[in-house]
Amino acid sequence: MLAVRKTGAYPGISLDQISEPTAPGADEVVVEVAAAGICGSDVHVYEWSTGYAFMKSKLPVTLGHEFSGHVVSVGPGVTQVALGDLVTVIPTRSCMRCSYCAGGAPNLCLDRDTVGLTRDGAFARFVRVPALSCLKLAPDTDPVLAALIEPLSVGDHAANVGEVKSGDTVVVLGPGTIGQAAMRAARWRGALRVIAVGMHDESRLLTARAMGATHTLDLAEIASLTDAVLAINHGRLAEVVVEATGHPSSVSAGLDILCRGGILVAAGIHAVPVTFDLTRLVRNSQQIRGAHGSRRRSWEMVAERIALEPESVRPMVSIELDLADAQLGFEKCLAREVSKVILRPT
Ligand SMILES: [Zn+2]
Ligand SMILES: [Zn+2]
């Protein structure tokens, strides 16, 4: 079968013919992939930017961790899903032995493996995964939208970490897919205003509107972000800021527009250390909290939202391509021309 793989510790991907996965072992299933999204982290892996050296010992590996598909083969002992079920797969599997797992927080596990990063993923027709990682979906769920559950759950987790409440004003720095997911999640949680901020980002800010942003700001077109937020928000600063850019200046800019006692959620991956005025943060009783990945509860909630209101998340999908055109899909992501690119292996 055709597979999009990372084969070496250098930039690029390769499209290779590889053998189909072997029969599932105990507690495993094989999923025939219906749709798989290209994630920002896949693009980092493509570029081979810093922070992905952990993959080196696992190469070559088939990429793809945001996906849906049908169960086509079931190993011994599997009870969670059955042949023919439409599922999405929580890509990160926790060890269930470390102190975090034992303490009931498997999302903080020290020893995780991830489908599509450290074991073969879904940019191929078939993928073998642990049955416990599958989330069974309503059979009439659109498989393309089901492939969005992963990034949407990351956004939901960020909104949860930021304790977004009804009536809040939330500013999301960065209109990429995680930013868009955080906007949608903030609206689901009742935020009154969601302000999306980009930089030379006309098309992604348009998508941000469709994903729930009530206002958009392009830094290339305004003199002061703080003034613009105050103008939109009737003279008040934001209760929650979500940083989803990875740009070094964005934490400081985010604290400038955060109210006293507010929470800045850091969800972007930064290639270099960040500086900001800590004393001012202390005096303003602000908090910075890191949000990475998500918890199963977010997956379940997003899956139900998609079943109830599929059109509320569809704008995130920019294009669907055959798996054979993966290179083109990555190039569009690199050019920041698109939100989510969906690859379809069949
Ligand atoms: Zn992802
Ligand atoms: Zn663990």
Side-chain angles (χ1 to χ4, degrees):
M1 64 181 181
L2 188 66
V4 175
R5 297 200 302 168
K6 189 75 185 175
T7 53
Y10 40 78
I13 49 162
S14 65
L15 265 75
D16 301 322
Q17 285 294 337
I18 62 168
S19 42
E20 292 179 5
T22 51
D27 302 315
E28 287 185 328
V29 298
V30 171
V31 173
E32 182 170 23
V33 179
I38 299 179
C39 176
S41 58
D42 296 322
V43 178
H44 287 306
V45 170
Y46 179 101
E47 294 178 294
W48 202 242
S49 46
T50 50
Y52 289 85
F54 67 89
M55 289 178 67
K56 216 166 155 181
S57 64
K58 310 289 184 182
L59 302 179
V61 70
T62 302
L63 300 176
H65 62 267
E66 303 179 355
F67 64 101
S68 66
H70 294 90
V71 175
V72 290
S73 183
V74 173
V78 172
T79 55
Q80 298 85 356
V81 290
L83 279 181
D85 282 350
L86 176 65
V87 296
T88 185
V89 174
I90 300 173
T92 300
R93 187 179 53 166
S94 304
C95 73
M96 302 316 283
R97 284 187 294 272
C98 74
S99 58
Y100 291 98
C101 287
N107 60 312
L108 304 179
C109 174
L110 295 165
D111 183 20
R112 299 182 293 180
D113 70 8
T114 303
V115 172
L117 288 175
T118 59
R119 57 180 284 169
D120 282 339
F123 290 163
R125 184 169 174 192
F126 298 106
V127 57
R128 187 160 47 87
V129 296
L132 262 178
S133 304
C134 294
L135 184 68
K136 186 178 167 180
L137 302 169
D140 58 349
T141 306
D142 182 338
V144 170
L145 300 185
L148 302 177
I149 294 175
E150 195 264 5
L152 285 165
S153 73
V154 172
D156 182 70
H157 182 61
N160 190 34
V161 166
E163 297 181 26
V164 174
K165 296 178 292 297
S166 175
D168 278 355
T169 291
V170 178
V171 178
V172 179
L173 302 175
T177 47
I178 295 307
Q180 290 168 16
M183 293 166 206
R184 175 50 70 212
R187 292 299 300 280
W188 281 338
R189 282 161 192 269
L192 188 62
R193 293 190 189 85
V194 173
I195 305 172
V197 181
M199 177 78 162
H200 296 295
D201 257 318
E202 195 183 346
S203 72
R204 296 198 302 179
L205 287 173
L206 266 177
T207 308
R209 286 251 183 202
M211 289 295 291
T214 56
H215 301 77
T216 57
L217 294 170
D218 195 316
L219 293 173
E221 293 164 8
I222 57 173
S224 158
L225 176 61
T226 306
D227 289 348
V229 169
L230 290 172
I232 290 168
N233 204 32
H234 304 301
R236 291 186 302 117
L237 296 168
E239 280 83 13
V240 181
V241 173
V242 178
E243 194 291 312
T245 69
H247 193 278
S249 68
S250 62
V251 173
S252 187
L255 292 172
D256 285 345
I257 54 173
L258 185 64
C259 71
R260 290 168 67 84
I263 298 171
L264 185 146
V265 180
I269 299 297
H270 288 252
V272 293
V274 165
T275 55
F276 59 90
D277 186 343
L278 181 63
T279 301
R280 201 156 68 105
L281 172 141
V282 170
R283 289 193 171 133
N284 284 332
S285 298
Q286 294 167 324
Q287 297 178 53
I288 297 179
R289 299 182 181 178
H292 187 236
S294 58
R295 295 180 307 177
R296 192 177 178 103
R297 184 71 198 107
S298 284
W299 284 72
E300 292 165 352
M301 202 207 70
V302 169
E304 288 188 34
R305 282 282 187 181
I306 286 181
L308 284 170
E309 42 178 286
E311 299 316 313
S312 72
V313 301
R314 197 179 299 278
M316 193 188 258
V317 178
S318 300
I319 41 168
E320 296 176 33
L321 296 171
D322 286 345
L323 187 67
D325 296 322
Q327 179 70 32
L328 173 66
F330 274 86
E331 283 165 14
K332 285 189 176 291
C333 293
L334 281 163
R336 298 204 312 175
E337 284 173 9
V338 289
S339 290
K340 191 58 75 182
V341 174
I342 298 289
L343 300 177
R344 306 200 67 154
T346 39

